[in-house]
Amino acid sequence: FILANHYTTLAEHLKEKGFATYGITSNPWVTKGRGLAQGFAAFEAAYTGAEAASDKGAARASDLAVRFIEAAANAEQPFFLFVNYLEAYLPYAPPDEGLLALGVNSADLLRREYTIGEAEEIITSARAASDDELALARLLYQCEIAYQDQQLGRVFEALEAQQLLNNTLIIV
């Protein structure tokens, strides 16, 4: 999918109205090359240089978002900030912070990752998943979401620290 230039994005509409626009993506399919940066003054890929193999870019995306919020707060200009996290998507291999948030000890896990290939086999009925496999996939997914929530919380904290939280529309 490539977004054609003749479509007008929300970022383009807001930029026309005087908003500062900044986009951050953790998804290699949501890119400038696919036309999805239209209207953003800056659009950065957080998945490059991710802190750890298990972090899909959430920590870097939050770092970039916090920096933007701090700078935007001083500019006294309305802004549109788009942050795209990928932690909820396969493969599930949560960082330690995600495990710890749910009280999961990595030593207690049979393994730390649930892959796209495994999910595809089950979805396409190539094989049935055991109860243990489903339980592992659910737990790793929950840990990924816990980690993403932690990272999103950092963005909320930055908005609050800059006294912007009560005047901000947040869409998750």
Side-chain angles (χ1 to χ4, degrees), residues 15-172:
K15 191 174 184 180
E16 281 180 12
K17 300 291 182 188
F19 281 67
T21 58
Y22 184 49
I24 304 164
T25 181
S26 296
N27 188 336
W29 293 100
V30 178
T31 64
K32 291 177 185 178
R34 295 192 173 275
L36 299 171
Q38 288 177 203
F40 290 101
F43 195 85
E44 297 196 50
Y47 55 87
T48 58
E51 289 185 6
S54 57
D55 180 308
K56 297 174 185 138
R60 185 160 183 261
S62 293
D63 290 345
L64 293 167
V66 167
R67 262 185 262 148
F68 174 79
I69 290 165
E70 290 170 351
N74 296 325
E76 296 185 20
Q77 176 186 17
F79 65 85
F80 173 59
L81 170 62
F82 171 79
V83 185
N84 174 237
Y85 293 102
L86 196 62
E87 266 52 31
Y89 297 94
L90 288 163
Y92 302 143
D96 289 339
E97 296 89 341
L99 298 172
L100 294 172
L102 296 182
V104 175
N105 182 342
S106 62
D108 294 337
L109 294 175
L110 296 174
R111 58 181 215 260
R112 283 282 300 262
E113 182 178 21
Y114 192 75
T115 68
I116 294 170
E118 290 172 298
E120 285 176 347
E121 288 176 353
I122 294 162
I123 292 167
T124 61
S125 301
R127 69 175 178 86
S130 69
D131 290 343
D132 287 344
E133 182 180 10
L134 289 175
L136 175 68
R138 283 187 193 105
L139 177 61
L140 293 175
Y141 173 77
Q142 291 167 346
C143 292
E144 288 278 13
I145 296 302
Y147 179 67
Q148 182 173 304
D149 284 350
Q150 291 172 348
Q151 295 304 318
L152 190 55
R154 293 178 53 218
V155 175
F156 280 57
E157 289 167 5
L159 289 166
E160 188 170 38
Q162 298 300 323
Q163 299 179 343
L164 296 170
L165 188 58
N166 291 332
N167 194 27
T168 300
L169 172 65
I170 298 171
I171 303 169
V172 179

